[in-house]
């Protein structure tokens, strides 16, 4: 269940209450007249079955509540209520399969914005991956993959493409392009410094490296893995199962490929730099393609589920 807290201007009270009462999946409806101060109005509380949330939020937006009042949405951890059980029974489909666009768009907006924290996290992850590549340490490479925050902008780009929204797409692309550019430039300097300190060596970097050589030797499997990871990642976002994102992060070699390219550029090894860049491009393309297709399939499937049961009680 999702919990909604609404600030409703007085002149919209009746229409909002009537609409909420009409829609399936809504229960525990509470009115607190005149409780809101800024913006002024009533406070309306209700719980909504997750599978009905997208339709409810769209109906509230259509009434102008987002512009004139407020719509707050929180996840309900536990609800013990026969009324809630009945609301979930009436709502179409299953909550885990529901596609709540407002929720997905909000999550990806936060994760796909170019911020100082994003740059630092991506840079640190790239430097960790550089250590793993030079030392041929699979553990360090996996750790760097888990730390990297690049899936946020990738997911944001997928959502923006499916929703045909140019501004969020450009914001996600900006985060990816600037983020990887800054991280790689700083990692070039980091690798040269480590070489000066005797902690990195060109000989070690050019060696066979059986545990990490896959980073700069892409093949068809690289694209397949990235595609599958993209499917899993978008499903974890739309179903609110964030724990699965860790598995997605350590499945694709975006950050390690960027790191290996940076170290290779520092040493003037353009063969490895090119191979790493190709690996990075394949991974990014596979995730975006999979993410867009996953969202389109989910959207179509959910519309089929809603079709025969959509509407009023």
């Amino acid at each position: 269940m999702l919990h909604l807290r609404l600030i409703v201007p007085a002149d919209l009270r009746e229409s909002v209450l009537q609409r909420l009462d009409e829609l399936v999946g809504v229960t525990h409806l509470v009115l607190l007249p005149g409780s809101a101060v800024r913006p002024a109005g009533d406070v309306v509380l209700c719980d909504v079955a997750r599978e009905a949330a997208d339709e409810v939020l769209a109906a509230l937006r259509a009434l102008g509540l987002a512009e004139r009042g407020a719509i707050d949405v929180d996840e309900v951890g536990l609800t013990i209520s026969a009324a809630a059980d009945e609301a979930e029974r009436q709502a179409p489909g299953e909550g885990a399969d529901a596609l709540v666009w407002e929720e997905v768009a909000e999550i990806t907006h936060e994760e796909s914005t170019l911020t100082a924290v994003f740059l630092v996290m991506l840079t640190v992850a790239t430097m960790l991956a550089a250590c793993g590549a030079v030392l041929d340490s699979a553990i360090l490479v996996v750790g760097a993959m888990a730390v990297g925050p690049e899936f946020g902008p990738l997911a944001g780009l997928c959502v923006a493409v499916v929703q045909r929204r140019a501004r969020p797409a450009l914001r996600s692309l900006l985060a990816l392009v600037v983020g990887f550019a800054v991280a790689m430039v700083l990692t070039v300097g980091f690798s040269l410094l480590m070489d000066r300190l005797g902690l990195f060596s060109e000989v070690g970097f050019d060696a066979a490296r059986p545990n990490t050589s896959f980073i700069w030797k892409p093949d068809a499997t690289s694209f397949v893995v990235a595609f599958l990871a993209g499917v899993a990642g978008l499903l974890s976002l739309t179903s609110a199962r964030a724990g699965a994102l860790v598995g997605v992060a350590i499945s694709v070699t975006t950050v390690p490929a960027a790191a290996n390219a940076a170290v290779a550029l520092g040493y003037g090894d353009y063969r490895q730099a090119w191979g790493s860049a190709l690996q990075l491009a394949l991974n990014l393309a596979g995730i975006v393609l999979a993410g867009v297709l996953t969202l389109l399939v989910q959207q179509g499937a959910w519309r089929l589920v809603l079709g025969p049961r959509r509407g009023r009680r």
Side-chain angles (χ1 to χ4, degrees), residues 48-66:
V48 180
R50 181 180 175 82
E51 50 269 42
D54 201 51
E55 184 178 7
V56 171
L57 293 175
L60 293 174
R61 275 189 172 276
L63 292 172
L65 198 57

Side-chain angles (χ1 to χ4, degrees), residues 7 23 47 68 85 104 106 133 144 236 242 262 311:
I7 296 179
L23 291 167
D47 290 335
R68 299 186 55 199
D85 293 341
V104 174
E106 181 64 24
S236 69

Side-chain angles (χ1 to χ4, degrees), residues 255-277:
V255 166
N260 202 79
V263 177
L265 288 173
Y267 283 133
D269 187 342
Y270 299 112
R271 183 172 65 101
Q272 283 205 45
W274 170 251
S276 302

Side-chain angles (χ1 to χ4, degrees), residues 4-16:
L4 271 59
R5 188 193 66 177
L6 314 175
I7 296 179
V8 182
D11 60 307
L12 289 181
R13 177 199 300 170
E14 294 305 321
S15 56
V16 168

Side-chain angles (χ1 to χ4, degrees), residues 8-309:
V8 182
D11 60 307
L12 289 181
R13 177 199 300 170
E14 294 305 321
S15 56
V16 168
L17 291 176
Q18 179 181 354
R19 196 72 182 101
L20 289 174
D21 191 55
E22 291 172 346
L23 291 167
V24 298
V26 180
T27 188
H28 304 157
L29 187 58
V30 177
L31 171 65
L32 304 174
S35 298
V37 176
R38 190 170 59 224
D42 305 326
V43 173
V44 175
L45 308 175
C46 65
D47 290 335
V48 180
R50 181 180 175 82
E51 50 269 42
D54 201 51
E55 184 178 7
V56 171
L57 293 175
L60 293 174
R61 275 189 172 276
L63 292 172
L65 198 57
E67 292 75 23
R68 299 186 55 199
I71 306 172
D72 294 335
V73 183
D74 291 314
E75 192 83 30
V76 178
L78 174 65
T79 300
I80 303 175
S81 164
D85 293 341
E86 177 62 17
E88 290 185 324
R89 187 192 65 78
Q90 291 181 355
E94 296 294 332
D97 296 330
L99 185 57
V100 185
W101 279 114
E102 295 283 354
E103 180 183 47
V104 174
E106 181 64 24
I107 293 173
T108 53
H109 179 275
E110 294 177 359
E111 298 294 331
S112 62
T113 303
L114 182 63
T115 62
V117 172
F118 176 83
L119 286 175
V120 171
M121 289 290 289
L122 188 56
T123 301
V124 169
T126 307
M127 290 179 177
L128 279 173
C131 293
V134 175
L135 300 175
D136 195 32
S137 171
I139 294 177
L140 286 177
V141 169
V142 170
M145 293 159 79
V147 171
E150 75 280 6
F151 188 78
L154 289 169
L157 179 60
C158 296
V159 172
V161 169
V162 173
Q163 293 188 322
R164 299 179 183 179
R165 298 173 62 190
R167 183 172 295 179
L170 291 175
R171 183 181 62 241
S172 299
L173 283 173
L174 179 67
L176 286 169
V177 173
V178 175
F180 273 112
V182 170
M184 290 176 69
V185 168
L186 292 177
T187 301
V188 169
F190 170 76
S191 63
L192 293 176
L193 174 62
M194 293 288 281
D195 185 80
R196 281 291 188 91
L197 295 174
L199 300 175
F200 282 6
S201 72
E202 188 172 0
V203 173
F205 184 68
D206 289 335
R209 291 191 289 145
N211 294 320
T212 57
S213 60
F214 68 92
I215 294 172
W216 63 278
K217 295 179 179 178
D219 54 22
T221 306
S222 302
F223 183 83
V224 171
V225 170
F227 187 90
L228 294 175
V231 173
L234 266 297
L235 285 175
S236 69
L237 282 180
T238 57
S239 62
R241 295 182 179 180
L245 285 177
V246 176
V248 172
I250 62 176
S251 299
V252 289
T253 53
T254 48
V255 166
N260 202 79
V263 177
L265 288 173
Y267 283 133
D269 187 342
Y270 299 112
R271 183 172 65 101
Q272 283 205 45
W274 170 251
S276 302
L278 184 57
Q279 178 77 276
L280 177 61
L282 281 175
N283 278 271
L284 294 176
I287 292 173
V288 172
L289 177 61
V292 170
L293 291 177
T294 299
L295 288 173
L296 288 173
V297 170
Q298 277 191 287
Q299 186 180 57
W302 191 242
R303 283 174 178 171
L304 289 176
V305 171
L306 291 178
R309 298 183 59 183

